[in-house]
Amino acid sequence: MESVRFEEKDFFACCGSTKFAEDMAQNCPFISIEEAITVAKSIWFNEVNVHGWLEAFSSHPQIGQSPSPAQTSDTASQWSKGEQSTALATATISSSQELSEWNTRYKQKFGFVFLICASGRSTAEILAELKKRYQNRPIIELENAAQEQMKITELRLAKLFATKRKAASIDTVSATKVEDRLGILGGHLTANPNSPSGKSSQIMSRTRPPITTHVLDVSLGCPAAGVEVRLDVWKGARPRPLFGETDIGGWSFLGSSATNTDGRSGQLMNIVDAVDPGIYRISFNTGKYCPSGFFPYVSIVFDIKESQRMEHFHVPLLLSPFSFSTYRGS
């Protein structure tokens, strides 16, 4: 199979981040859509910073509205219209008005447009999801929007490949199979992630370790750089550590790193398709980062089940000198 090369503008139409488009163009050519998506995920989640995410978000129009002023690509505009076709077809005057009002409220609260992979979704479905996500904290919504942007990017990369293959006639796989791949991908992206059909992403190899983290300093409103992070797994004689009992010698070191300028840690463990089930502990040297703070260090202990081996566990830490909170991301 011959490789396919694209220009930077092609990738910018898929995802409106300059950094993303530049890095994707540098990694060309790609042999397959699968290879392109694997590289795209790695760049988007590991190389593009928060400013790049916001740049990409700004390239999208609000659901049901004309293309964003930042969306200068005709290709991106056409793709956006196609992705919203179901929503537009199912909209009523009242639902369109309600959606517009909630879009405005969302942007006022979070500072960026409500982003969702709209392909195949009705106006009612989108409005329900918007209301649900409006209740989230800003850091959670930033992560949600980044995940949705990646879903959109995957769909558009598949369209890009389909167009290129047809025009150049260089693919050994028929155009029908390319379109089938696009349909399968679209179904995966719009499926319920908890249903069996929503697990197709497990087939693809990981581009990052199954356990990741990043730290945000909420007192400053920016990523926390230079925080030492350590990951351990429970290997004690007991099946699991018990609250209130000494567990010295029960933890086995997996890896350590320090957060970069975007608040993300380096690789804490090997990149494997299936993570071993067990008890894990991720610790942050908050005392060194903030010597005058209340916490000398913070440790989060969590249990990965056998049924979760193929999942990705992202554990961000929201930190201030006298408080912290965390949640499990996807």
Side-chain angles (χ1 to χ4, degrees):
M1 181 182 296
E2 296 184 49
S3 57
V4 183
R5 179 175 292 278
F6 300 98
E7 297 180 15
E8 187 176 311
K9 65 179 182 179
D10 297 322
F11 296 118
F12 192 74
C14 294
C15 175
S17 160
T18 303
K19 170 67 174 175
F20 175 86
E22 290 175 348
D23 286 9
M24 285 293 288
Q26 291 173 4
N27 279 275
C28 269
F30 297 111
I31 294 177
S32 65
I33 176 60
E34 289 80 10
E35 180 190 17
I37 288 175
T38 297
V39 174
K41 285 183 175 180
S42 179
I43 292 173
W44 178 247
F45 290 112
N46 300 323
E47 303 299 331
V48 179
N49 61 23
V50 172
H51 299 293
W53 284 5
L54 294 175
E55 180 189 13
F57 301 165
S58 69
S59 71
H60 292 277
Q62 290 187 357
I63 300 296
Q65 294 190 359
S66 301
S68 164
Q71 196 174 52
T72 56
S73 167
D74 291 337
T75 300
S77 298
Q78 290 300 316
W79 284 345
S80 180
K81 291 178 182 178
E83 290 154 5
Q84 294 190 43
S85 59
T86 301
L88 295 174
T90 58
T92 63
I93 295 177
S94 60
S95 64
S96 295
Q97 178 64 30
E98 187 177 12
L99 182 61
S100 177
E101 292 172 356
W102 274 93
N103 269 318
T104 300
R105 292 176 63 182
Y106 181 97
K107 189 170 184 179
Q108 289 174 344
K109 178 178 180 180
F110 298 108
F112 50 84
V113 68
F114 173 70
L115 197 61
I116 189 171
C117 185
S119 182
R121 291 177 180 260
S122 67
T123 294
E125 290 175 313
I126 293 172
L127 184 56
E129 185 66 16
L130 194 163
K131 292 179 179 179
K132 177 183 176 181
R133 284 172 47 185
Y134 180 80
Q135 307 303 320
N136 290 333
R137 290 173 293 171
I139 180 58
I140 296 178
E141 264 313 280
L142 184 65
E143 289 281 340
N144 285 338
Q147 294 287 348
E148 293 298 316
Q149 174 63 63
M150 191 66 246
K151 293 178 184 179
I152 296 169
T153 301
E154 288 186 47
L155 275 179
R156 293 184 177 185
L157 284 171
K159 294 173 185 176
L160 192 64
F161 264 74
T163 302
K164 194 78 168 183
R165 293 294 192 188
K166 289 178 182 179
S169 299
I170 61 173
D171 194 358
T172 56
V173 180
S174 67
T176 300
K177 289 185 177 180
V178 174
E179 292 294 345
D180 287 346
R181 167 61 185 167
L182 176 57
I184 292 171
L185 182 59
H188 154 61
L189 294 176
T190 57
N192 184 334
N194 296 318
S195 68
S197 61
K199 296 181 180 179
S200 59
S201 61
Q202 296 174 359
I203 298 174
M204 301 177 63
S205 298
R206 296 184 189 271
T207 60
R208 50 181 174 166
I211 300 175
T212 57
T213 186
H214 75 273
V215 184
L216 295 176
D217 189 331
V218 296
S219 66
L220 299 177
C222 65
V227 179
E228 296 176 354
V229 185
R230 173 189 174 109
L231 180 65
D232 302 283
V233 62
W234 177 255
K235 295 293 185 181
R238 297 190 301 270
R240 60 171 56 218
L242 299 177
F243 177 76
E245 292 192 13
T246 303
D247 56 20
I248 296 176
W251 292 101
S252 177
F253 174 77
L254 284 179
S256 63
S257 181
T259 56
N260 60 17
T261 55
D262 201 35
R264 301 180 184 276
S265 73
Q267 187 169 316
L268 298 173
M269 64 181 299
N270 293 331
I271 300 177
V272 293
D273 286 334
V275 63
D276 292 334
I279 310 294
Y280 291 81
R281 180 179 68 183
I282 189 165
S283 301
F284 305 85
N285 192 354
T286 52
K288 183 176 180 180
Y289 173 77
C290 185
S292 61
F294 185 72
F295 302 97
Y297 68 91
V298 171
S299 289
I300 309 297
V301 178
F302 52 98
D303 186 1
I304 298 179
K305 309 294 186 182
E306 176 69 30
S307 60
Q308 299 173 313
R309 297 186 65 196
M310 303 298 293
E311 295 186 25
H312 175 248
F313 299 86
H314 188 60
V315 189
L317 183 74
L318 309 182
L319 178 67
S320 71
F322 297 98
S323 67
F324 74 89
S325 61
T326 187
Y327 67 95
R328 178 194 160 185
S330 58

